[in-house]
Amino acid sequence: MIRSVWVATVLVIAAGAGHAQGPGFRPVTDAMLRDPSPNDWLMFSRTYDAQRFSPLDQISRGNVKRLGLAWSRGLADGTTETIPTVYNGVMYLTVPGSNVQALDAATGDLLWEYNRTYENEGVGPGGRSKTLSIYEDMVYFTAPDATIVALDARTGRVRWETKADSRGHTAGSIVVEGQVISGGTCAGGLRTNCYIAAHDARTGALAWKFYTAQAPDEPPGFDTWGGAPIETRRASTWGVPGTYDPETRLIYWGVANPTPNTRAARHGGNPAAIGFTSPADLFSNSTVALDPRTGKLAWYYQH
């Protein structure tokens, strides 16, 4: 196993100088998510338009050669693929074993830790959730046991958790219009576990699901899977969260390749059961645009 270490450079301190974890905590609002402070990293790609650009200007061509180690923190053996969420000087991250930590971003000191008990002990070490999301005073963790967990951002205490069938959780989530939007990998070889979902950010109640493997009665109005058994049609969401456009009020999410992996395996040994151009085995290999209020498809583009 590889031992992981989080490191920070000296010029990061400006973004993490001081934090409010007690009564002074300021809840994250929709307006903050739309236009975050330059000091914060509130979602996977920092902003809804997914540019991953930091407007901070403390690091420049003139001083980059002077960067040095500010702090380091050892992590347990295991897997982590997380991009930390940073708010008001606190760094929230998923650590090996699929647990969550809150660190002082200026010093690396541990503020709190959430350790989840997994019924299957092998699930936690293999968790690869890419990010956490944050809204109001809660941090949202897509745990690898197909559970979405809302943690108090100040203490790490569980506020709510909800089961999301049996799908895998590798992408993480974003918060859009008060809802936690998450994707995932299909599990158990079943279409019922292939979907994008929205849960109420305050309560965890399921708002909607959008299945990423099309059924015959769904858009575009005809069967793009050539009669393949509906229950085994599968197309996982891509391995990172989607994005959101506040102007059009649409969510954009990537869907990966269809499975089983070969055309013949998907179509009873007949690779010509569907066409060789789009649309074919929708919504695999596609970007889908969804209404965040209902989960209804606005449009798709099959790449």
Side-chain angles (χ1 to χ4, degrees):
M1 301 294 288
I2 297 175
R3 180 167 299 274
S4 303
V5 178
W6 277 107
V7 297
T9 57
V10 292
L11 290 179
V12 174
I13 293 179
H19 58 79
Q21 282 290 94
F25 183 91
R26 183 184 177 194
V28 176
T29 64
D30 291 284
M32 291 180 186
L33 293 177
R34 291 192 298 268
D35 185 21
S37 163
N39 294 333
D40 295 331
W41 200 279
L42 301 182
M43 62 188 73
F44 179 76
S45 296
R46 201 186 85 86
T47 52
Y48 281 135
D49 63 359
Q51 297 301 305
R52 296 199 198 174
F53 171 76
S54 173
L56 295 175
D57 59 5
Q58 290 96 328
I59 299 174
S60 67
R61 292 185 180 185
N63 66 19
V64 67
K65 62 184 177 183
R66 302 203 311 270
L67 287 177
L69 180 67
W71 57 262
S72 65
R73 180 179 180 84
L75 299 177
D77 293 340
T79 300
T80 181
E81 296 181 1
T82 188
I83 287 182
T85 297
V86 180
Y87 176 57
N88 199 24
V90 178
M91 177 184 293
Y92 303 93
L93 65 155
T94 305
V95 297
S98 296
N99 300 309
V100 179
Q101 291 183 350
L103 308 178
D104 185 318
T107 66
D109 293 338
L110 180 68
L111 302 175
W112 56 256
E113 183 169 13
Y114 166 71
N115 291 300
R116 184 166 182 79
T117 300
Y118 293 98
E119 293 183 7
N120 180 349
E121 294 182 358
V123 169
R128 296 184 291 115
S129 184
K130 301 299 188 298
T131 191
L132 303 163
S133 55
I134 187 169
Y135 184 64
E136 294 189 344
D137 60 348
M138 285 178 277
V139 171
Y140 304 95
F141 170 43
T142 52
D145 59 357
T147 304
I148 301 173
V149 185
L151 303 172
D152 189 299
R154 293 159 294 198
T155 65
R157 179 177 62 87
V158 175
R159 298 277 289 276
W160 57 257
E161 63 177 74
T162 186
K163 191 74 172 175
D165 294 322
S166 300
R167 65 174 181 175
H169 272 162
T170 58
S173 63
I174 61 172
V175 177
V176 173
E177 299 186 13
Q179 299 191 100
V180 182
I181 315 295
S182 61
T185 57
C186 307
L190 298 174
R191 176 183 180 269
T192 54
N193 295 325
C194 298
Y195 59 87
I196 300 164
H199 291 81
D200 186 284
R202 296 183 179 92
T203 67
L206 178 67
W208 53 258
K209 291 181 181 181
F210 174 83
Y211 289 97
T212 50
Q214 183 233 6
D217 58 347
E218 295 174 345
F222 57 90
D223 188 11
T224 64
W225 283 74
I230 297 174
E231 63 273 13
T232 57
R233 300 178 182 189
R234 305 191 300 284
S236 295
T237 59
W238 196 239
V240 297
T243 60
Y244 170 64
D245 183 354
E247 293 187 10
T248 62
R249 296 188 72 183
L250 291 176
I251 298 167
Y252 306 102
W253 215 282
V255 184
N257 56 286
T259 50
N261 289 325
T262 68
R263 292 169 64 96
R266 292 194 299 275
H267 299 286
N270 178 16
I274 58 171
F276 288 87
T277 59
S278 179
D281 292 344
L282 289 177
F283 296 96
S284 68
N285 299 318
S286 298
T287 297
V288 294
L290 308 177
D291 185 326
R293 294 154 290 186
T294 64
K296 298 295 185 183
L297 180 72
W299 55 259
Y300 74 90
Y301 179 83
Q302 190 167 46
H303 301 280

